[in-house]
Amino acid sequence: MTSGRRIIDMHVHTDDSPDADIPAADIAARAAAEGLLGVGFVAHVDFHPDDRCSGAFSAETYSRSLERARRMPGSPVLLTGIEVGEPHLFIGDAMEKADGMHLDFVTGGLHWIGERLLLDASGFAGADPLDLVEEYLRVSIEMAADAPIDILAHLGVWRRGLARAGGREDIDETRLWPGLLRRLFEAMADRGIALEVNTAGLRRPESVTYPTASVLRFYRECGGRIVTIGSDTHSEPHVFYGLSQGAEILASVGFTEAFGFRDRCPFPYPIKA
């Protein structure tokens, strides 16, 4: 199976996000050394009042950081993106903050349902997890239908918070909510939105990608074809973590290519068995 060396990692945070600590230039050098095809940089652009990254984004600082990275000798393809939290609520604010930037892609990530942070055990306190996951899917449909994003990030990241809360690990969305998933994937197809295979969960107790292989298989059965692979890198020792396994999972459910984005348009590259 292909190694991580011939993959475009489309979800890499730099120290331009408050919860990350690696300069973009260092990421570019590391990517060149490891032979990656490319890196899709993202910075958190958040406005939820309780989010630690809320209001921290600076387009000027981020642009300077990426420009330094592009001056690194031998850098691979470096793509500029942002990750907008709750884009169905805040995409207008986010694009205003990024005004003047040339963006190759906009990623949308759902972290909060109301006041509940789904990445943390506290988000599940006093809640029926199945009800919360169902609401997560309904809000994801709203995001895909209404927000002008290019990539839907880490579908199923609620598994992170549920694992921290000691909750059940056998929830299979394809069995419990196939209709909601189908509606989500139809909305994504209508808008040309890619589904991200986020490999960060492979280094956490839940030990799965977001989304899981079963959801990826169902996405393909529903006609989904545009997928990206992203490590959700924030810091050492998890730079580019799990890319090879993410590619293997995609291939195992029938995908032969993954995608990068340039100028807000997807372009493919092969995943070879």
Side-chain angles (χ1 to χ4, degrees), residues 44-56 84-91 93-94 109-118:
H44 283 298
V45 187
D46 288 294
F47 296 91
H48 190 288
D50 295 326
D51 197 287
R52 66 178 293 192
C53 298
S54 182
V84 181
E86 295 69 56
H88 60 300
L89 300 175
F90 301 118
I91 190 65
D93 298 308
L110 182 57
H111 308 114
W112 295 84
I113 298 292
E115 302 306 310
R116 294 182 178 274
L117 177 61
L118 300 184

Side-chain angles (χ1 to χ4, degrees), residues 4-251:
R5 294 174 60 84
R6 308 311 300 164
I7 291 170
I8 302 175
D9 188 340
M10 286 292 292
H11 197 142
V12 179
H13 291 273
T14 71
D15 60 359
D16 300 286
S17 291
D19 59 349
D21 58 15
I22 308 177
D26 291 356
I27 291 286
R30 174 86 167 261
E34 297 194 15
L36 263 68
L37 286 176
V39 172
F41 289 115
V42 292
H44 283 298
V45 187
D46 288 294
F47 296 91
H48 190 288
D50 295 326
D51 197 287
R52 66 178 293 192
C53 298
S54 182
F57 177 72
S58 166
E60 182 179 357
T61 301
Y62 184 44
S63 296
R64 286 200 303 264
S65 176
L66 299 194
E67 186 56 38
R68 286 192 294 271
R70 289 190 172 91
R71 292 199 294 265
M72 296 295 296
S75 290
V77 173
L78 301 180
L79 304 167
T80 301
I82 56 175
E83 180 183 358
V84 181
E86 295 69 56
H88 60 300
L89 300 175
F90 301 118
I91 190 65
D93 298 308
M95 298 311 291
E96 183 176 345
K97 289 281 284 187
D99 187 44
M101 288 192 68
H102 176 83
L103 295 173
D104 289 305
F105 63 99
V106 175
T107 294
L110 182 57
H111 308 114
W112 295 84
I113 298 292
E115 302 306 310
R116 294 182 178 274
L117 177 61
L118 300 184
L119 312 185
D120 191 74
S122 62
F124 288 85
D128 182 322
L130 294 183
D131 288 345
L132 200 53
V133 173
E134 182 174 339
E135 181 63 16
Y136 171 91
L137 289 174
R138 292 187 185 280
V139 175
S140 296
I141 294 169
E142 183 181 351
M143 281 173 43
D146 297 340
I149 60 175
D150 304 304
I151 302 170
L152 181 68
H154 48 56
L155 180 68
V157 74
W158 51 264
R159 293 178 186 277
R160 174 180 170 181
L162 188 58
R164 291 181 173 186
R168 56 186 292 189
E169 300 179 359
D170 62 344
I171 296 175
D172 183 352
E173 304 97 305
T174 67
R175 292 179 180 272
L176 294 174
W177 303 285
L180 290 179
L181 283 177
R182 191 177 299 277
R183 284 174 54 196
L184 172 60
F185 297 152
E186 288 173 352
M188 292 171 65
D190 288 345
R191 307 281 303 283
I193 298 171
L195 180 62
E196 176 189 78
V197 182
N198 187 297
T199 62
L202 295 172
R203 56 180 167 83
R204 297 182 176 129
E206 56 269 33
S207 191
V208 293
T209 54
Y210 316 130
T212 61
S214 63
V215 174
L216 289 168
R217 183 179 295 108
F218 189 68
Y219 172 69
R220 184 168 177 81
E221 290 171 358
C222 290
R225 293 296 182 269
I226 309 176
V227 290
T228 65
I229 305 173
S231 65
D232 214 343
T233 287
H234 283 72
S235 61
E236 293 286 3
H238 303 305
V239 178
F240 308 142
Y241 190 94
L243 295 179
S244 296
Q245 192 170 346
E248 290 169 2
I249 290 169
L250 277 176

